[in-house]
Amino acid sequence: MPRIYIQKNMRKQWTTDAMAAAITAVRNKEMGYLKASKTFGVPRATLERKVKCIDAPLSEVVNVPLGRKPILSPHIEAELVSYITEMESRLFGVTCTDVRRMAYQLAKKNNIKTNFNIDNEMAGKDWLASFLTRHPQLSLQEEQCMQCVSCNKWWHTKCAAAESADIKMAKVQVAAFITTNVDSKSINESFLSSCSIMVSKLFYTDVQYVTLELQTNVTMMRAASIAPMLNLKLFHNSDKVDNSSKHDLAKQVASWFAKHLRIPEDRVLVLFIDTRLCNAE
């Protein structure tokens, strides 16, 4: 499917202002279909069809785009836009790949037939381009960085050495084990998905390299209190976490859980465990 559609017929050669004026004239019984069509230079058949759309606002009636309708309904796209905006407001930016994966999941969840890639479980780049055109207010982040084994530098795409020698990029893998005394019924269905994205952003890795395990309703006590609390163990192989950064990162994670599970930040314990040190001889 082409990224930029070039119209090859003579359809919709009228302006929206002219069509709106013609519809208004007919509805107010100032003109008939034929006279309004000739006066404002709009097709009579199109005018008749649009005049009958009395349930929709006039601005929507005259601005119906040509071609196929979007795969996801306006309601579902609005939910996706709201989620992306919320993640950005919490400093967890969303990439193009994230949006394509979420679109696939939404289509699958709502039993919508699509031509999305089943193997990669993602919507296509053409769908993404159309989606961003419909919602220009969104600002997606660039794809996450990876560390090159050859030059030990960070790149948004393959560096020159990796491109020429086809060197594999070192994948940052994370396994998160969450234990809490919060009731599972109070946790949203999308919690694990949101948590996976948060962890992937934290470690600058792809969400496919994040593994989560959640244990709820666990009997726990801290400071002689059984108030809501959470322990998080993050097993990783990332250079981003060190003695100078782990405290700030732990605070970010605690703040995220506090907002999503309503647990006080001081009752969220975050432990970073470097698996490379565990495997060192």
Side-chain angles (χ1 to χ4, degrees), residues 8-276:
K8 299 179 181 179
N9 53 44
M10 299 299 293
R11 295 180 62 193
K12 202 173 182 180
Q13 297 299 307
W14 41 266
T15 64
T16 55
D17 291 337
M19 180 60 73
I23 293 174
T24 302
V26 173
R27 287 180 176 176
N28 294 338
K29 298 182 179 180
E30 298 173 357
M31 300 180 184
Y33 288 112
L34 181 59
K35 185 177 180 179
S37 173
K38 292 182 178 180
T39 301
F40 296 101
V42 298
R44 178 176 176 178
T46 305
L47 176 60
E48 291 181 1
R49 185 177 69 252
K50 291 185 177 294
V51 167
K52 297 177 182 178
C53 300
I54 58 177
D55 296 331
L58 183 61
S59 59
E60 293 184 8
V61 173
V62 300
N63 284 293
V64 176
L66 294 176
R68 298 179 180 179
K69 295 182 180 179
I71 295 176
L72 301 180
S73 67
H75 175 69
I76 295 178
E77 283 201 357
E79 289 184 355
L80 181 56
V81 170
S82 177
Y83 177 78
I84 295 173
T85 304
E86 180 182 358
M87 293 297 290
E88 290 177 343
S89 66
R90 296 181 179 181
L91 304 180
F92 295 107
V94 179
T95 67
C96 296
T97 301
D98 295 331
V99 175
R100 292 167 62 190
R101 285 202 177 93
M102 287 187 286
Y104 178 90
Q105 294 170 1
L106 285 171
K108 185 177 180 180
K109 179 180 179 181
N110 291 276
N111 297 319
I112 300 175
K113 293 183 179 180
T114 70
N115 58 350
F116 293 162
N117 192 313
I118 300 177
D119 296 330
N120 294 334
E121 296 187 347
M122 289 195 302
K125 294 181 179 179
D126 295 313
W127 175 89
L128 178 65
S130 300
F131 175 76
L132 294 178
T133 300
R134 292 190 293 272
H135 305 284
Q137 74 275 21
L138 297 178
S139 178
L140 303 182
Q141 286 192 352
E142 297 181 10
E143 296 303 321
Q144 295 301 323
C145 308
M146 291 184 180
Q147 190 178 24
C148 178
V149 178
S150 175
C151 58
N152 199 34
K153 293 183 179 180
W154 293 91
W155 306 87
H156 286 291
T157 55
K158 285 186 177 181
C159 63
E163 196 68 55
S164 60
D166 194 23
I167 300 174
K168 295 182 179 180
M169 309 297 278
K171 310 296 185 183
V172 175
Q173 300 188 16
V174 185
F177 296 87
I178 308 169
T179 307
T180 180
N181 57 356
V182 174
D183 192 339
S184 59
K185 295 180 180 179
S186 65
I187 298 179
N188 192 287
E189 293 182 357
S190 62
F191 170 75
L192 285 179
S193 177
S194 301
C195 187
S196 296
I197 295 176
M198 181 273 292
V199 173
S200 68
K201 305 306 178 188
L202 190 71
F203 287 93
Y204 292 111
T205 190
D206 197 283
V207 71
Q208 64 178 315
Y209 300 116
V210 176
T211 302
L212 290 181
E213 179 179 307
L214 174 63
Q215 293 183 351
T216 58
N217 304 91
V218 178
T219 303
M220 304 172 67
M221 177 177 287
R222 182 177 303 159
S225 173
I226 59 172
M229 57 184 294
L230 180 144
N231 293 344
L232 172 64
K233 294 180 180 179
L234 289 167
F235 293 85
H236 66 91
N237 61 343
S238 171
D239 291 329
K240 184 180 179 182
V241 181
D242 54 30
N243 292 331
S244 61
S245 64
K246 63 181 181 181
H247 296 291
D248 290 337
L249 295 175
K251 187 175 181 180
Q252 293 179 32
V253 174
S255 175
W256 188 91
F257 280 104
K259 291 179 180 179
H260 283 72
L261 298 181
R262 298 180 180 179
I263 299 176
E265 289 188 28
D266 60 354
R267 294 189 66 81
V268 177
L269 176 64
V270 182
L271 298 176
F272 294 98
I273 304 172
D274 193 330
T275 56
R276 296 169 297 181

